[in-house]
């Protein structure tokens, strides 16, 4: 096991794996087993008495999953972490563990669409009210506070405009008004390499591990990390709701995490370089990237993050069709949703996520027809730059 004060690269490689694997294996095996047997009834009884705790049935845990959870807890500086079959399973199970009927949730207006949908449509049906606010408007958050507010859920950076939340300011607000709500941060776009929400005062951090944590566009997973007692409570509910990760996905995630610091630093660098290139182009209307001084979250991001992430959004001086021509003219970028993998992806937000709305309806919610979201992968940045510049010629 790495020393407690090990650097993040050392933790990414070594944390979570036991010193001794079966047969001296370097990597943690995939425990492809749905259930576990006991030597005798005495061992079974000892297990249920909690001494020693061991594997029992797949829905309650798997050794490959546990190793991956220990690594993620180390990367987040958390007491514990819990894996799920998807990011949405992590978010929905966590929220259900935190709230009950009659309570209230505040969520960022520009949070992930399915998170908003879950709070408004699903939690609403169970008597939990929610209020949408601006991520960065502490005054709006304070006026949305109610006596029964139980959770503030927000994202940093957000999608697609990459607004960053000042977690420490949220925590200071909570102390000032002596409120007891929990602060839950979806840090999917940041990763623990760029942002450590728990150190800044958040109670829980969730990720869609499908994105940067997995990093290879080949798995679906989610994670929540935080103090061990809270994670244990969420684990108990997961045992009821069943949104578990399968051992093979846990193995792929464990493998991907070893290169997380390398990948994210490189994606930070490439994204910043491409954001600067695009800002200087006459075909580009506006670039949204927290690493640029023009971004509204630049100051917060510089203060609280160690990198600005691999996603860049921008608008073109073009209409819906012109923007589609640009997208279609790229050759390295795959046209599709998702982010965080080694393969660069690009999407025209109006067509990908808001296709059922008219141009006017999209404008009303701040989504321009020419808005492009680019998730930078690990290709040579010169190649990506050339691809974008060539494609701009097609607008
Ligand atoms: C993708 C994503 C999710 C959902 O995660 P899945 O793994 O797709 O279920 C939640 N939040 C953010 C910010 C995401 O990007």
């Amino acid at each position: 096991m790495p020393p407690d004060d090990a650097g993040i690269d050392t933790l990414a490689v070594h944390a979570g794996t036991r010193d001794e694997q079966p047969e001296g294996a370097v990597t943690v095996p995939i425990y492809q087993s749905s259930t576990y047997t006991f030597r005798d009834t005495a061992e079974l009884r000892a297990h249920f008495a909690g001494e020693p705790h061991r594997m029992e049935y797949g829905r309650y845990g798997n050794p490959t999953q546990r190793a991956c959870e220990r690594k993620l807890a180390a990367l987040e500086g958390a007491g514990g972490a819990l894996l799920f079959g998807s990011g949405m399973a992590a978010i929905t199970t966590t929220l259900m563990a935190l709230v009950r009927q009659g309570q209230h949730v505040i969520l960022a207006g520009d949070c992930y669409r399915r998170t908003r949908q879950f709070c408004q449509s699903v939690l609403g049906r169970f008597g939990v009210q929610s209020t949408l606010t601006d991520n960065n408007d502490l005054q709006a958050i304070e006026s949305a506070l109610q006596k029964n507010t139980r959770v503030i859920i927000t994202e940093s950076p957000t999608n697609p405009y990459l607004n960053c939340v000042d977690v420490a300011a949220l925590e200071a607000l909570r102390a000032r008004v002596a409120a007891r709500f929990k602060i839950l941060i979806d840090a999917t776009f940041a990763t623990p390499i760029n942002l450590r929400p728990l150190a800044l005062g958040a109670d829980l951090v969730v990720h869609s591990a499908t994105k940067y944590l997995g990093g290879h566009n080949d798995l679906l997973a989610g994670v929540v990390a935080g103090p061990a007692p809270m994670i244990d409570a969420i684990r108990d509910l997961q045992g009821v709701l069943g949104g578990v990760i399968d051992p093979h996905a846990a193995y792929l995630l464990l493998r991907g995490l070893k290169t997380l610091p390398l990948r994210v630093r490189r994606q930070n660098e490439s994204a910043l370089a491409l954001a600067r290139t695009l800002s200087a182009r006459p075909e580009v209307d506006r670039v949204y990237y927290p690493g640029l001084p023009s971004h509204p979250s630049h100051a917060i991001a510089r203060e609280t993050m160690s990198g600005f992430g691999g996603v860049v959004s921008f608008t073109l001086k073009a209409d819906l069709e012109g923007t589609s021509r640009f997208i279609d003219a790229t050759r390295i970028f795959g046209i599709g949703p998702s982010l965080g993998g080694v393969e660069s992806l690009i999407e025209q937000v109006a067509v990908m996520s808001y296709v059922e709305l008219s141009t006017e309806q999209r404008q009303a919610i701040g989504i321009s027809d020419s808005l492009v979201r680019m998730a930078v992968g690990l290709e040579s940045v010169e190649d990506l730059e050339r691809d974008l510049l060539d494609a701009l010629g097609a607008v």
Side-chain angles (χ1 to χ4, degrees):
M1 292 287 263
D4 286 343
D5 60 350
I8 196 120
D9 294 73
T10 307
L11 294 176
V13 175
H14 291 289
T17 51
R18 301 280 188 220
D19 284 341
E20 260 179 61
Q21 299 295 341
E23 309 292 337
V26 174
T27 57
V28 177
I30 307 172
Y31 285 85
Q32 195 70 45
S33 191
S34 58
T35 193
Y36 303 85
T37 56
F38 294 81
R39 225 174 15 252
D40 52 26
T41 305
E43 194 187 16
L44 178 66
R45 286 200 171 123
H47 165 71
F48 282 118
E51 251 337 293
H53 193 74
R54 44 153 289 169
M55 294 297 145
E56 173 197 333
Y57 179 66
R59 188 163 13 83
Y60 308 129
N62 170 286
T64 316
Q65 169 194 344
R66 286 284 192 274
C68 194
E69 288 171 350
R70 289 192 297 269
K71 194 186 286 296
L72 283 160
L75 292 174
E76 290 289 356
L82 174 62
L83 282 169
F84 293 84
S86 71
M88 283 318 297
I91 292 166
T92 56
T93 307
T94 298
L95 279 170
M96 277 196 278
L98 291 175
V99 298
R100 58 182 157 74
Q101 186 179 21
Q103 290 184 326
H104 174 245
V105 173
I106 294 176
L107 71 155
D110 56 350
C111 71
Y112 191 66
R113 212 153 57 106
R114 300 297 181 197
T115 303
R116 196 168 63 218
Q117 190 180 354
F118 176 73
C119 288
Q120 296 186 315
S121 318
V122 183
L123 287 183
R125 280 199 277 123
F126 294 94
V128 176
Q129 300 309 315
S130 48
T131 307
L132 292 179
T133 60
D134 178 342
N135 217 351
N136 286 305
D137 188 346
L138 279 179
Q139 214 139 33
I141 292 177
E142 186 169 352
S143 29
L145 275 177
Q146 302 180 6
K147 266 214 273 304
N148 58 348
T149 302
R150 171 70 175 142
V151 186
I152 293 188
I153 173 165
T154 172
E155 288 172 25
S156 200
T158 59
N159 176 32
Y161 290 115
L162 306 166
N163 291 315
C164 304
V165 67
D166 188 344
V167 181
L170 259 188
E171 152 62 14
L173 166 71
R174 172 166 64 179
R176 182 164 57 75
V177 302
R180 298 172 52 142
F181 57 80
K182 301 291 181 205
I183 301 171
L184 169 58
I185 308 286
D186 180 338
T188 298
F189 276 53
T191 81
I193 307 308
N194 288 339
L195 179 72
R196 304 281 293 274
L198 301 179
L200 296 170
D203 298 285
L204 291 166
V205 54
V206 292
H207 294 273
S208 166
T210 310
K211 315 293 169 53
Y212 290 98
L213 301 185
H216 293 75
N217 290 323
D218 59 3
L219 64 87
L220 280 162
V223 65
V224 59
M230 286 180 83
I231 297 301
D232 288 345
I234 302 167
R235 197 184 293 280
D236 285 347
L237 183 61
Q238 183 191 48
V240 177
L241 296 178
V244 297
I245 190 168
D246 94 289
H248 188 244
Y251 175 82
L252 288 174
L253 180 55
L254 190 56
R255 175 183 161 120
L257 284 171
K258 294 178 190 180
T259 54
L260 179 71
L262 272 181
R263 286 187 284 106
V264 170
R265 279 187 212 116
R266 170 67 182 275
Q267 282 163 313
N268 288 341
E269 272 174 33
S270 298
L272 181 60
L274 295 175
R276 287 184 175 144
T277 300
L278 288 168
S279 308
R281 296 298 308 186
E283 303 91 336
V284 175
D285 180 40
R286 183 161 173 197
V287 179
Y288 300 86
Y289 187 68
L292 298 180
S294 58
H295 193 279
S297 292
H298 183 60
I300 296 170
R302 270 186 52 171
E303 215 172 286
T304 62
M305 297 175 71
S306 26
F308 304 110
V311 176
V312 180
S313 296
F314 52 97
T315 47
L316 297 177
K317 290 177 188 154
D319 59 7
L320 190 74
E321 297 307 323
T323 307
S324 299
R325 281 195 296 278
F326 162 76
I327 298 269
D328 291 346
T330 62
R331 295 195 296 178
I332 298 176
F333 289 86
I335 303 171
S338 203
L339 57 131
V342 298
E343 294 90 359
S344 290
L345 296 170
I346 200 161
E347 64 167 84
Q348 184 174 1
V349 178
V351 177
M352 184 66 71
S353 308
Y354 296 92
V355 69
E356 71 278 12
L357 305 184
S358 68
T359 296
E360 292 69 32
Q361 286 170 319
R362 282 192 289 262
Q363 255 156 14
I365 56 167
I367 302 293
S368 153
D369 282 352
S370 75
L371 179 64
V372 174
R373 188 188 81 182
M374 170 173 88
V376 179
L378 291 183
E379 302 90 342
S380 304
V381 67
E382 299 78 16
D383 293 337
L384 295 175
E385 185 176 73
R386 189 154 22 113
D387 198 22
L388 291 173
L389 294 181
D390 287 350
L392 282 175
V395 175

